[in-house]
Amino acid sequence: MAAANDDGIAGETSGLKIVTNLSVVFLVVLWLIPTIGLLVSSFRDRDAISSSGWWNAPFATEQNFAAGAEGEFVQTPEGWVLEGNVFGAEGSGTVTAFGGMRADPTAFEPGETGELVRGRTLTVEADGNFRYVDPDEEQPSRNPTIYFATSVPPSFSTENYETILTSAGMDVAFINTLTVTIPATIIPILIAAFAAYALAWMDFPFRGTLIAIVVGLLVVPLQLALVPMLTFHNEIGIGQSFYGIWFAHTGFGLPLAVYLLRNYMVGLPRDIIESAKVDGATDFQVFTKIVLPLSFPALASFAIFQFLWTWNDLLVAKVFLPSNSESWVMTVKIADDLLGSRGGDWGILAAAAFVSIAVPLLVFFTMQRYLVRGLLAGSVK
């Protein structure tokens, strides 16, 4: 019976491990698909993105074009005739469909004579040669526009990145984002580390009350504090500045930081700390020499959360930073500028979006091994 129970337990553990691994693989794939799509799209041009999905990027795509017919009209018994090639004098390609109106650019097959308005006809061959006939007695005042579809080979370039880093101003926004994020990550860690050590290992009145207050602050929506905090910042002279947004992110991040670090420090071996105090070490020496090095997983896990939150923040940045474009972070730049002026230029938006997630990805993959260790700290004794 013992062997059977052992086999059953072993089987359950093995099955649970398989389910866990499959779940992790599913989540990773689910996360990677849009990220890879964003990266691929950032190297494609606007027409390629509009005509096909990113998964078709290695293959030729069919795209619609509009070409002004070049040449001179010649009067014939049929009417005024214009002939030429939609690809130009030196161009080449294969027309897969054509049309005479923007609303229906692929109405006719190559070689077919398309009937247009007021008796006009248009014929476009597969090699791009066209023949346009206007039966009016008077010579047309302008050449027609011919719409056609053709197969375009795949192409990739860094033009989108060059555009956003030069003319679009994402380079300034990138520096501003670093200026906001780095201090807003370091400051709450420094403050929370001292507070967490005091709440974990120092005896003083109302320590339990303070811990309860910290836990309660975790559920307070930051939206409730935006207006009062901005008013306070304006009164002390740091409203809508980098100082103001540093203090705002510090205040919003401290409850989670104190809670996370305190839980980790409570789980540290008591014998080490008590032995250090017996040897004459002060609380500051115990904190800096013993507790702080042992708490690195918790510090790293919070740093990941705080960095990702401040880097991707839009609401706090719009409230606590000046409205001029020189102070915009990347999230504000994308939302207020690129989506407005370049809302249909998907290649530019994809490049800007990937630049905005590149640094968080680097930070996450560099420090992710500490994430689970820090999050599980204090949950198991």
Side-chain angles (χ1 to χ4, degrees):
M1 288 298 294
N5 289 337
D6 290 342
D7 292 342
I9 295 174
E12 290 177 7
T13 304
S14 178
L16 180 61
K17 183 177 181 180
I18 293 175
V19 172
T20 303
N21 291 339
L22 290 177
S23 300
V24 171
V25 170
F26 173 76
L27 292 175
V28 170
V29 171
L30 192 65
W31 179 81
L32 281 177
I33 288 176
T35 305
I36 295 174
L38 193 65
L39 175 62
V40 173
S41 298
S42 67
F43 292 100
R44 306 177 74 197
D45 58 26
R46 175 179 179 177
D47 294 332
I49 295 175
S50 301
S51 61
S52 64
W54 64 268
W55 52 89
N56 292 321
F59 312 102
T61 59
E62 186 175 283
Q63 299 180 21
N64 297 332
F65 295 91
E70 299 179 355
E72 298 291 337
F73 280 96
V74 178
Q75 191 173 22
T76 67
E78 299 178 81
W80 294 94
V81 177
L82 177 64
E83 295 181 340
N85 193 289
V86 295
F87 298 110
E90 300 179 356
S92 62
T94 302
V95 175
T96 57
F98 72 94
M101 297 185 299
R102 182 186 298 272
D104 193 2
T106 58
F108 311 107
E109 296 294 328
E112 181 181 352
T113 300
E115 299 290 340
L116 307 181
V117 295
R118 290 183 286 183
R120 300 167 184 170
T121 60
L122 175 64
T123 303
V124 181
E125 303 295 338
D127 59 1
N129 292 326
F130 68 86
R131 188 171 189 271
Y132 177 82
V133 180
D134 189 339
D136 290 346
E137 295 181 0
E138 298 183 1
Q139 181 178 351
S141 59
R142 60 184 181 86
N143 291 5
T145 299
I146 300 175
Y147 301 92
F148 64 96
T150 184
S151 181
V152 179
S155 63
F156 301 92
S157 69
T158 59
E159 183 178 353
N160 294 329
Y161 289 94
E162 295 172 1
T163 300
I164 64 172
L165 294 178
T166 55
S167 61
M170 280 292 288
D171 52 344
V172 177
F174 183 85
I175 299 300
N176 290 338
T177 307
L178 286 176
T179 304
V180 170
T181 303
I182 293 177
T185 302
I186 296 176
I187 295 174
I189 288 180
L190 292 178
I191 298 174
F194 285 98
Y197 174 78
L199 294 175
W201 292 104
M202 297 178 65
D203 293 326
F204 55 89
F206 305 107
R207 186 179 69 167
T209 303
L210 290 177
I211 295 174
I213 292 175
V214 169
V215 174
L217 289 174
L218 291 173
V219 300
V220 176
L222 67 87
Q223 292 84 354
L224 294 177
L226 290 179
V227 175
M229 185 173 288
L230 181 60
T231 303
F232 174 70
H233 286 181
N234 290 332
E235 291 177 354
I236 63 176
I238 61 171
Q240 291 192 318
S241 66
F242 285 108
Y243 294 106
I245 196 170
W246 292 341
F247 291 147
H249 280 305
T250 298
F252 296 141
L254 272 177
L256 177 62
V258 174
Y259 178 77
L260 186 67
L261 295 178
R262 187 259 173 190
N263 282 354
Y264 190 93
M265 293 179 183
V266 165
L268 295 178
R270 180 177 293 272
D271 294 341
I272 298 178
I273 297 174
E274 291 180 347
S275 298
K277 290 184 177 181
V278 169
D279 292 338
T282 63
D283 283 314
F284 184 78
Q285 291 174 330
V286 171
F287 172 73
T288 55
K289 301 295 185 180
I290 300 176
V291 175
L292 204 58
L294 293 177
S295 301
F296 185 78
L299 295 171
S301 62
F302 172 74
I304 292 173
F305 278 117
Q306 182 72 0
F307 188 92
L308 295 180
W309 180 44
T310 54
W311 185 277
N312 296 319
D313 169 71
L314 174 63
L315 177 60
V316 177
K318 288 182 70 68
V319 173
F320 290 95
L321 282 180
S323 57
N324 58 77
S325 59
E326 289 76 14
S327 301
W328 281 350
V329 294
M330 285 193 292
T331 53
V332 178
K333 180 70 175 178
I334 294 173
D336 288 4
D337 187 17
L338 297 185
L339 283 178
S341 61
R342 305 173 185 268
D345 204 339
W346 302 111
I348 298 296
L349 293 175
F354 193 80
V355 169
S356 70
I357 70 173
V359 175
L361 286 177
L362 179 63
V363 171
F364 179 81
F365 285 116
T366 302
M367 305 180 69
Q368 56 85 26
R369 65 180 181 274
Y370 301 107
L371 181 61
V372 175
R373 291 168 56 187
L375 290 179
L376 294 180
S379 61
V380 179
K381 295 292 184 181

